CSV table of all heavy atoms in Angstrom, one decimal:
chain,number,residue,atom,x,y,z
A,984,GLU,N,130.3,103.9,103.2
A,984,GLU,CA,131.3,103.7,104.1
A,984,GLU,C,131.5,104.8,105.1
A,984,GLU,O,131.8,106.0,104.5
A,984,GLU,CB,132.6,103.3,103.3
A,984,GLU,CG,133.8,103.0,104.4
A,984,GLU,CD,135.1,102.7,103.7
A,984,GLU,OE1,135.1,102.4,102.4
A,984,GLU,OE2,135.9,102.3,104.4
A,985,LEU,N,131.4,104.5,106.3
A,985,LEU,CA,131.6,105.5,107.3
A,985,LEU,C,133.1,105.5,107.6
A,985,LEU,O,133.7,104.5,107.9
A,985,LEU,CB,130.9,105.2,108.7
A,985,LEU,CG,129.3,105.4,108.5
A,985,LEU,CD1,128.7,104.9,109.8
A,985,LEU,CD2,129.1,106.9,108.3
A,986,LYS,N,133.7,106.7,107.7
A,986,LYS,CA,135.2,106.8,107.7
A,986,LYS,C,135.5,107.8,109.0
A,986,LYS,O,135.6,108.9,108.8
A,986,LYS,CB,135.8,107.3,106.6
A,986,LYS,CG,135.7,106.5,105.3
A,986,LYS,CD,136.5,107.0,104.1
A,986,LYS,CE,137.9,106.8,104.3
A,986,LYS,NZ,138.4,105.4,104.5
A,987,PRO,N,135.6,107.1,110.2
A,987,PRO,CA,135.9,108.0,111.4
A,987,PRO,C,137.3,108.6,111.2
A,987,PRO,O,138.2,107.9,110.9
A,987,PRO,CB,135.9,106.9,112.5
A,987,PRO,CG,134.9,105.8,112.0
A,987,PRO,CD,135.2,105.7,110.6
A,988,ASN,N,137.3,109.9,111.4
A,988,ASN,CA,138.6,110.6,111.2
A,988,ASN,C,139.2,111.1,112.4
A,988,ASN,O,140.3,111.9,112.4
A,988,ASN,CB,138.4,111.8,110.2
A,988,ASN,CG,137.3,112.7,110.7
A,988,ASN,OD1,137.1,112.9,111.9
A,988,ASN,ND2,136.6,113.3,109.8
A,989,GLY,N,138.7,110.7,113.6
A,989,GLY,CA,139.3,111.1,114.9
A,989,GLY,C,138.7,112.4,115.5
A,989,GLY,O,139.0,112.6,116.7
A,990,GLY,N,137.8,112.9,114.9
A,990,GLY,CA,137.1,114.1,115.4
A,990,GLY,C,135.7,113.9,115.8
A,990,GLY,O,135.0,114.9,116.2
A,991,GLU,N,135.3,112.6,115.8
A,991,GLU,CA,133.9,112.4,116.2
A,991,GLU,C,133.6,112.4,117.7
A,991,GLU,O,134.5,112.1,118.4
A,991,GLU,CB,133.5,110.9,115.8
A,991,GLU,CG,133.6,110.8,114.2
A,991,GLU,CD,135.1,110.6,113.7
A,991,GLU,OE1,135.9,110.2,114.5
A,991,GLU,OE2,135.3,110.8,112.4
A,992,PRO,N,132.4,112.7,118.1
A,992,PRO,CA,132.0,112.7,119.5
A,992,PRO,C,131.6,111.3,119.9
A,992,PRO,O,131.5,110.5,119.1
A,992,PRO,CB,130.8,113.8,119.6
A,992,PRO,CG,130.2,113.5,118.1
A,992,PRO,CD,131.4,113.3,117.2
A,993,LYS,N,131.5,111.2,121.2
A,993,LYS,CA,131.1,109.9,121.6
A,993,LYS,C,129.8,109.4,121.2
A,993,LYS,O,129.7,108.1,121.1
A,993,LYS,CB,131.1,109.9,123.2
A,993,LYS,CG,132.7,110.0,123.8
A,993,LYS,CD,132.5,109.9,125.4
A,993,LYS,CE,133.8,110.2,126.0
A,993,LYS,NZ,133.8,110.0,127.3
A,994,ASN,N,128.9,110.2,120.8
A,994,ASN,CA,127.6,109.9,120.3
A,994,ASN,C,127.5,109.8,118.9
A,994,ASN,O,126.5,110.0,118.2
A,994,ASN,CB,126.5,110.6,120.9
A,994,ASN,CG,126.7,112.1,120.5
A,994,ASN,OD1,127.6,112.6,120.1
A,994,ASN,ND2,125.5,112.9,120.5
A,995,TYR,N,128.6,109.6,118.2
A,995,TYR,CA,128.8,109.6,116.8
A,995,TYR,C,127.7,108.6,116.1
A,995,TYR,O,127.1,109.0,115.2
A,995,TYR,CB,130.2,109.1,116.4
A,995,TYR,CG,130.4,109.0,114.9
A,995,TYR,CD1,130.2,109.9,114.0
A,995,TYR,CD2,131.0,107.7,114.3
A,995,TYR,CE1,130.4,109.8,112.6
A,995,TYR,CE2,131.2,107.6,113.0
A,995,TYR,CZ,130.9,108.6,112.1
A,995,TYR,OH,131.3,108.4,110.8
A,996,ALA,N,127.6,107.3,116.5
A,996,ALA,CA,126.8,106.4,116.0
A,996,ALA,C,125.3,106.9,116.3
A,996,ALA,O,124.5,106.8,115.2
A,996,ALA,CB,126.9,105.0,116.8
A,997,ASP,N,124.9,107.6,117.2
A,997,ASP,CA,123.6,108.1,117.4
A,997,ASP,C,123.4,109.2,116.4
A,997,ASP,O,122.2,109.3,116.0
A,997,ASP,CB,123.4,108.6,118.9
A,997,ASP,CG,123.5,107.5,119.9
A,997,ASP,OD1,122.8,106.5,119.7
A,997,ASP,OD2,124.3,107.6,120.8
A,998,LEU,N,124.3,110.1,116.2
A,998,LEU,CA,124.2,111.2,115.3
A,998,LEU,C,124.0,110.7,113.9
A,998,LEU,O,123.3,111.2,113.1
A,998,LEU,CB,125.3,112.1,115.4
A,998,LEU,CG,125.5,112.9,116.6
A,998,LEU,CD1,126.9,113.7,116.7
A,998,LEU,CD2,124.3,113.8,116.9
A,999,PHE,N,124.8,109.6,113.6
A,999,PHE,CA,124.6,109.1,112.2
A,999,PHE,C,123.2,108.4,112.0
A,999,PHE,O,122.6,108.6,111.0
A,999,PHE,CB,125.6,108.1,111.9
A,999,PHE,CG,125.6,107.7,110.5
A,999,PHE,CD1,125.9,108.5,109.4
A,999,PHE,CD2,125.2,106.3,110.1
A,999,PHE,CE1,125.9,108.1,108.0
A,999,PHE,CE2,125.2,105.9,108.9
A,999,PHE,CZ,125.4,106.8,107.8
A,1000,ILE,N,122.8,107.7,113.0
A,1000,ILE,CA,121.5,107.1,112.9
A,1000,ILE,C,120.4,108.1,112.8
A,1000,ILE,O,119.5,107.9,112.0
A,1000,ILE,CB,121.3,106.1,114.1
A,1000,ILE,CG1,122.3,104.9,114.0
A,1000,ILE,CG2,119.8,105.6,114.0
A,1000,ILE,CD1,122.2,104.0,115.3
A,1001,LYS,N,120.5,109.0,113.6
A,1001,LYS,CA,119.5,110.2,113.4
A,1001,LYS,C,119.6,110.9,112.0
A,1001,LYS,O,118.4,111.1,111.5
A,1001,LYS,CB,119.9,111.3,114.5
A,1001,LYS,CG,118.9,112.4,114.6
A,1001,LYS,CD,119.3,113.5,115.6
A,1001,LYS,CE,118.4,114.6,115.6
A,1001,LYS,NZ,118.7,115.7,116.7
A,1002,GLU,N,120.7,111.0,111.4
A,1002,GLU,CA,120.7,111.6,110.1
A,1002,GLU,C,120.2,110.6,109.0
A,1002,GLU,O,119.4,110.9,108.2
A,1002,GLU,CB,122.2,111.8,109.7
A,1002,GLU,CG,122.4,112.4,108.3
A,1002,GLU,CD,121.8,113.8,108.2
A,1002,GLU,OE1,121.2,114.4,109.1
A,1002,GLU,OE2,122.0,114.5,107.0
A,1003,VAL,N,120.4,109.3,109.3
A,1003,VAL,CA,119.9,108.3,108.3
A,1003,VAL,C,118.3,108.3,108.5
A,1003,VAL,O,117.6,108.2,107.5
A,1003,VAL,CB,120.3,106.9,108.8
A,1003,VAL,CG1,119.6,105.7,108.2
A,1003,VAL,CG2,121.8,106.7,108.3
A,1004,ASP,N,117.8,108.4,109.6
A,1004,ASP,CA,116.4,108.5,109.8
A,1004,ASP,C,115.7,109.8,109.2
A,1004,ASP,O,114.7,109.7,108.7
A,1004,ASP,CB,116.0,108.3,111.3
A,1004,ASP,CG,116.2,106.9,111.8
A,1004,ASP,OD1,116.2,105.9,111.1
A,1004,ASP,OD2,116.2,106.8,113.0
A,1005,ARG,N,116.5,110.8,109.4
A,1005,ARG,CA,116.0,112.1,108.9
A,1005,ARG,C,115.9,112.0,107.3
A,1005,ARG,O,114.9,112.6,106.7
A,1005,ARG,CB,116.9,113.3,109.2
A,1005,ARG,CG,116.4,114.7,108.8
A,1005,ARG,CD,117.4,115.7,109.3
A,1005,ARG,NE,118.6,115.7,108.5
A,1005,ARG,CZ,118.7,116.4,107.3
A,1005,ARG,NH1,117.7,117.0,106.9
A,1005,ARG,NH2,119.8,116.4,106.6
A,1006,LEU,N,116.8,111.3,106.7
A,1006,LEU,CA,116.8,111.2,105.4
A,1006,LEU,C,115.9,110.0,104.8
A,1006,LEU,O,115.7,109.8,103.6
A,1006,LEU,CB,118.3,111.0,104.7
A,1006,LEU,CG,119.2,112.1,105.0
A,1006,LEU,CD1,120.6,111.7,104.7
A,1006,LEU,CD2,118.8,113.4,104.4
A,1007,GLY,N,115.5,109.2,105.8
A,1007,GLY,CA,114.6,108.1,105.4
A,1007,GLY,C,115.2,106.9,104.7
A,1007,GLY,O,114.7,106.4,103.8
A,1008,ILE,N,116.4,106.6,105.2
A,1008,ILE,CA,117.2,105.5,104.4
A,1008,ILE,C,117.7,104.5,105.4
A,1008,ILE,O,118.7,103.8,105.2
A,1008,ILE,CB,118.4,106.1,103.6
A,1008,ILE,CG1,119.3,107.0,104.7
A,1008,ILE,CG2,117.9,107.1,102.5
A,1008,ILE,CD1,120.5,107.5,104.0
A,1009,ARG,N,117.0,104.2,106.5
A,1009,ARG,CA,117.5,103.2,107.4
A,1009,ARG,C,117.5,101.9,106.8
A,1009,ARG,O,118.5,101.1,106.9
A,1009,ARG,CB,116.5,103.1,108.6
A,1009,ARG,CG,117.0,102.2,109.7
A,1009,ARG,CD,116.1,102.2,110.9
A,1009,ARG,NE,116.4,103.3,111.8
A,1009,ARG,CZ,116.3,103.2,113.2
A,1009,ARG,NH1,116.0,102.0,113.8
A,1009,ARG,NH2,116.7,104.1,113.9
């Protein structure tokens, strides 16, 4: 569960997808 807390940048989704790909869990 992704819980945006108000401090996220505009490219939050991109950053998370990048992390998911880095961890190999897409």
Side-chain angles (χ1 to χ4, degrees):
E984 180 171 359
L985 289 174
K986 298 185 69 65
N988 55 30
E991 296 79 19
K993 291 183 178 179
N994 65 336
Y995 176 56
D997 296 310
L998 292 174
F999 184 70
I1000 293 170
K1001 182 178 179 180
E1002 181 70 355
V1003 161
D1004 286 342
R1005 186 178 75 83
L1006 298 174
I1008 54 173
R1009 183 179 279 218

